[in-house]
């Protein structure tokens, strides 16, 4: 009787763990990242030139701009490792309203297209926040500086969700 009860508890715990893992996998976008990109050499960033990626980046930005009702921001690929001590693969420059992406650094990290687009979506949310604060007459640099953790978490959460939806839209059968 004791062994059966203990086995019952173990099975119950395993079921809870499996449900939680699926929840994280499904809700937080791991389904799209892992389901489409892991072990898929076709989507490794190193397989694409910056010119070949331009249409997908442009489509993501256009869709994001339609969703948020903002103009398309400028973006460019840039070596961000030389800019500061922090290893960054993406950055939003509020002075010029430009998104910078370090393509070469993402490739060095064996990144895939989903990582590039996730960074793009994250930085795009900073752009949207900047436009929102600017429309309220507030200084982005000051407000962001005082609430950096909030804005970084917000960009990660919202940008990640946007990225999931767009990856699902543009990646079919493991291909762009």
């Amino acid at each position: 009787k004791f062994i059966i009860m203990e086995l019952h508890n173990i099975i119950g715990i395993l079921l809870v763990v499996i449900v939680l893992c699926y929840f994280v996998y499904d809700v937080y976008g791991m389904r799209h990242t892992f389901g489409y990109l892991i072990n898929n050499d076709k989507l490794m960033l190193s397989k694409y030139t910056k010119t070949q990626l331009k249409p997908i980046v442009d489509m993501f930005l256009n869709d994001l701009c339609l969703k948020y009702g903002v103009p398309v921001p400028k973006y460019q690929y840039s070596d961000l490792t030389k800019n500061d001590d922090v290893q960054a693969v993406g950055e939003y420059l509020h002075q010029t309203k430009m998104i910078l992406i370090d393509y070469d650094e993402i490739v060095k990290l064996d990144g895939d297209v989903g990582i590039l687009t996730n960074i793009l979506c994250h930085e795009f949310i900073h752009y949207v926040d900047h436009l929102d604060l600017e429309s309220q007459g507030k200084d982005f640099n000051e407000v962001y500086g005082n609430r950096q953790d909030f804005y970084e978490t917000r960009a990660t959460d919202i940008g990640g969700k946007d990225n999931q939806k767009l990856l699902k839209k543009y990646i079919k059968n493991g291909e762009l």
Side-chain angles (χ1 to χ4, degrees):
K1 186 173 181 178
F2 180 73
I3 293 174
I4 292 173
M5 185 62 154
E6 197 170 83
L7 184 60
H8 178 73
N9 289 340
I10 291 171
I11 291 171
I13 291 170
L14 284 174
L15 286 173
V16 168
V17 168
I18 289 169
V19 168
L20 287 173
C21 287
Y22 181 77
F23 178 78
V24 169
Y25 176 76
D26 187 46
V27 173
Y28 289 102
M30 297 305 181
R31 173 183 57 187
H32 300 299
T33 301
F34 289 96
Y36 292 118
L37 304 176
I38 298 298
N39 296 325
N40 187 343
D41 290 338
K42 294 177 190 172
L43 293 173
M44 293 306 293
L45 201 56
S46 58
K47 301 282 184 188
Y48 296 88
T49 65
K50 295 171 190 172
T51 303
Q52 290 170 318
L53 289 169
K54 184 174 179 4
I56 192 78
V57 170
D58 289 347
M59 286 188 296
F60 266 61
L61 286 176
N62 286 331
D63 282 0
L64 290 167
C65 288
L66 286 172
K67 177 180 179 179
Y68 291 98
V70 297
V72 178
K74 298 177 280 184
Y75 75 92
Q76 73 180 32
Y77 297 106
S78 181
D79 180 2
L80 299 178
T81 59
K82 64 182 179 185
N83 290 347
D84 43 50
D85 297 332
V86 178
Q87 183 178 355
V89 290
E91 186 173 352
Y92 172 67
L93 300 177
H94 69 280
Q95 303 88 341
T96 57
K97 296 181 182 167
M98 180 179 288
I99 294 172
L100 302 179
I101 299 172
D102 195 332
Y103 167 89
D104 295 324
E105 194 61 28
I106 300 170
V107 169
K108 285 181 199 171
L109 298 170
D110 286 329
D112 54 41
V113 172
I115 292 173
L116 171 82
T117 56
N118 192 57
I119 293 162
L120 180 69
C121 290
H122 175 100
E123 301 306 333
F124 182 84
I125 296 301
H126 289 315
Y127 167 70
V128 171
D129 286 338
H130 178 204
L131 295 179
D132 180 51
L133 290 169
E134 192 176 65
S135 73
Q136 297 174 40
K138 297 179 181 175
D139 179 73
F140 174 79
N141 204 30
E142 180 183 331
V143 175
Y144 176 84
N146 291 333
R147 300 189 66 202
Q148 185 172 356
D149 288 343
F150 167 79
Y151 283 107
E152 284 302 320
T153 300
R154 175 180 154 74
T156 298
D157 292 346
I158 296 172
K161 289 175 185 173
D162 287 340
N163 188 47
Q164 295 166 33
K165 291 174 186 169
L166 292 172
L167 283 174
K168 188 174 183 180
K169 178 178 179 179
Y170 290 115
I171 295 177
K172 301 293 181 198
N173 300 319
E175 296 190 28
L176 284 173

